[in-house]
Amino acid sequence: MGNLGVYIQVPFCQTKCTYCNFHTGVVSAGRFAPYAAAACHEIGHHRALLESVGVAIGDVFRPQSHSVDTVYFGGGTPSLLEPELLADMLQALRTSFECSFTEVTLEADPETIDAQKAAQWAAAGFNRISFGTQSFVDEELKAAGRMHRREDIYRAVPILREAGICNISFDLIAGLPKQTHASWPQSLSEAIALGPEHISIYMMEIDEGSRLGLEVLQNGSRYSAKDIPCEEAMTEFYELAQVELQSAGYVQYEISNWAKPGFESRHNLKYWQRHPYLGFGAGAHSFYGSQRWANRHDAAAYVATISEDKSAIATVDTVTPALALEEEFFLGLRQLSGIDLSRIERQYGISLTEKVDELATRGMVVKQGDGLRLPASKLSVSNEIIVELLRSVPVVA
């Protein structure tokens, strides 16, 4: 029996952070229950809804073939929903699939957490909380449009521990407006001192999909756009995080992720290792075999479509062998353990010996037996290395 991951998207927030480029919205709480009901309906009728738009699901949903072992509620801010609604969606999974949950993650913002919620989450089956911490400096949080403050993080962590949730992850962003060479080490040290089992470090993305990114590209000054650290500084922040987290006992297992031994994100590893996963909710993505598909992004349109017992899928794409090979490298080499190069060469009928040897001589990759990985010192330029590697790959039919 193979293991299947499930992602449930909750695209609602209290406010839109300036740097956010996700399809999320600020809506009234009255829309939460209808959305959760729609997600439950989609889960319960997944097979018919997928077949109606031509997704070739094969035996992926037969209980004897796959068991759901990881679930990830992302957003948005799923912790805004009443715990009962979150529990309903988990129960819908238990009813519709063979389930053997080992990791059930809920994304949560610190200011949304209280003792009653935490107890209900634990009772429903959530055993991992991913905090949108971002920074421990109030000035940076304000500039980014975050609702929480440093004190909310310190208040929330003990509440989760008391509820019996012993797997907590923090997100930090390197490159927030007003972040400095003095404030970044402060956020790092305070995060480490609180002892989460997992820490993610993300580099600030500048693109036109966010208000802040667009302002920077247009050379404007709103949203503290002039106070973003330069790219060189962001790289230095990332490299400092590598040193400090390793010193504190965290193991870097992926470009953006560190964990205490045994606490790597089992769900996210499915993405990087190209294992099958299903997505439910507005904007959720799925992958199985040679197909990827995605639901429509607009939450209201999603609810309306599902309520008519129609599929909310907006796109279905075939993963060609050439694209699959690209994914093997771009996703696989994000992991510090790297990839099984021999398997890939056999599976895709290619040989990369000459190019790999050249890159290894330059210190860009490390070849060990059948494996290939990027050295930790080169992770900040991983995309450039992977692109150079792929240029030497013959066309895969």
Side-chain angles (χ1 to χ4, degrees):
M1 179 183 289
N3 291 327
L4 188 67
V6 167
Y7 177 85
I8 297 180
Q9 172 79 344
V10 180
F12 306 128
C13 290
Q14 294 184 97
T15 185
K16 187 86 167 178
C17 299
T18 61
Y19 57 81
C20 180
N21 57 7
F22 295 160
H23 291 275
T24 59
V26 180
V27 302
S28 69
R31 289 179 57 182
F32 295 167
Y35 181 86
C40 288
H41 185 87
E42 185 188 14
I43 293 167
H45 297 79
H46 54 271
R47 190 178 188 94
L49 292 174
L50 288 169
E51 288 178 339
S52 71
V53 292
V55 173
I57 56 178
D59 66 355
V60 63
F61 303 111
R62 293 177 187 166
Q64 67 271 26
S65 300
H66 288 81
S67 174
V68 175
D69 65 339
T70 67
V71 185
Y72 194 107
F73 283 72
T77 311
S79 57
L80 286 177
L81 269 60
E82 293 86 346
E84 295 84 359
L85 299 179
L86 299 170
D88 287 346
M89 288 183 274
L90 272 182
Q91 186 55 44
L93 289 176
R94 294 187 180 100
T95 301
S96 301
F97 296 91
E98 182 78 18
C99 294
S100 55
F101 296 153
T102 59
E103 181 185 272
V104 183
T105 301
L106 178 71
E107 286 188 350
D109 283 353
E111 79 280 6
T112 66
I113 292 174
D114 60 45
Q116 183 178 358
K117 274 186 175 182
Q120 289 178 277
W121 294 339
F126 290 95
N127 57 17
R128 184 174 186 269
I129 300 297
S130 180
F131 262 136
T133 311
Q134 319 309 11
S135 171
F136 280 78
V137 179
D138 285 351
E139 185 181 23
E140 296 171 15
L141 293 169
K142 292 175 185 176
R146 298 292 296 178
M147 293 287 288
H148 77 276
R149 298 294 177 259
R150 173 179 176 272
E151 66 180 17
D152 292 313
I153 305 170
Y154 281 89
R155 178 191 58 81
V157 170
I159 290 175
L160 294 176
R161 298 296 191 198
E162 293 237 352
I165 295 174
C166 57
N167 190 352
I168 296 175
S169 179
F170 284 173
D171 289 353
L172 293 177
I173 297 179
L176 284 173
K178 301 187 181 295
Q179 198 170 73
T180 68
H181 282 85
S183 69
W184 175 247
Q186 176 187 335
S187 284
L188 272 180
S189 64
E190 292 198 46
I192 290 169
L194 279 171
E197 285 66 35
H198 188 281
I199 296 179
S200 299
I201 307 289
Y202 298 110
M203 307 280 275
M204 172 65 76
E205 294 183 6
I206 303 299
D207 60 55
E208 61 184 15
S210 69
R211 291 176 294 161
L212 174 59
L214 185 59
E215 192 70 12
V216 171
L217 294 174
Q218 294 178 342
N219 200 31
S221 58
R222 292 182 301 168
Y223 315 120
S224 301
K226 299 293 187 183
D227 297 321
I228 291 180
C230 66
E231 188 172 331
E232 181 180 333
M234 291 187 206
T235 301
E236 291 172 0
F237 295 165
Y238 176 84
E239 292 173 348
L240 177 64
Q242 287 183 299
V243 172
E244 294 298 319
L245 290 170
Q246 180 180 6
S247 178
Y250 291 87
V251 177
Q252 185 174 16
Y253 68 100
E254 194 269 346
I255 286 178
S256 301
N257 291 280
W258 288 255
K260 293 181 178 178
F263 286 94
E264 298 84 358
S265 172
R266 298 180 184 183
H267 183 83
N268 287 337
L269 281 168
K270 292 183 188 297
Y271 301 147
W272 306 318
Q273 295 172 0
R274 302 186 75 249
H275 292 171
Y277 56 88
L278 301 180
F280 298 104
H285 289 243
S286 303
F287 169 64
Y288 181 73
S290 62
Q291 286 189 300
R292 291 187 184 277
W293 59 96
N295 283 348
R296 59 196 312 171
H297 287 290
D298 183 83
Y302 164 82
V303 172
T305 301
I306 293 295
S307 67
E308 296 174 0
D309 206 25
K310 296 179 181 177
S311 173
I313 292 177
T315 60
V316 180
D317 298 308
T318 298
V319 181
T320 64
L323 181 55
L325 179 60
E326 283 191 22
E327 291 180 356
E328 294 271 15
F329 285 101
F330 274 107
L331 296 175
L333 288 176
R334 290 186 63 90
Q335 303 167 84
L336 271 288
S337 59
I339 58 177
D340 184 338
L341 182 61
S342 294
R343 174 192 64 79
I344 290 174
E345 289 182 321
R346 289 194 306 272
Q347 183 173 333
Y348 294 92
I350 60 173
S351 175
L352 293 172
T353 302
E354 184 176 343
K355 188 61 180 179
V356 166
D357 288 346
E358 177 202 329
L359 290 172
T361 300
R362 291 160 50 194
M364 297 302 201
V365 299
V366 176
K367 180 78 164 61
Q368 292 177 319
D370 292 336
L372 181 70
R373 63 179 177 83
L374 300 181
S377 61
K378 299 298 182 182
L379 292 177
S380 60
V381 291
S382 61
N383 281 351
E384 290 89 335
I385 296 172
I386 296 170
V387 167
E388 184 174 349
L389 182 62
L390 286 172
R391 284 201 190 104
S392 65
V393 176
V395 176
V396 177

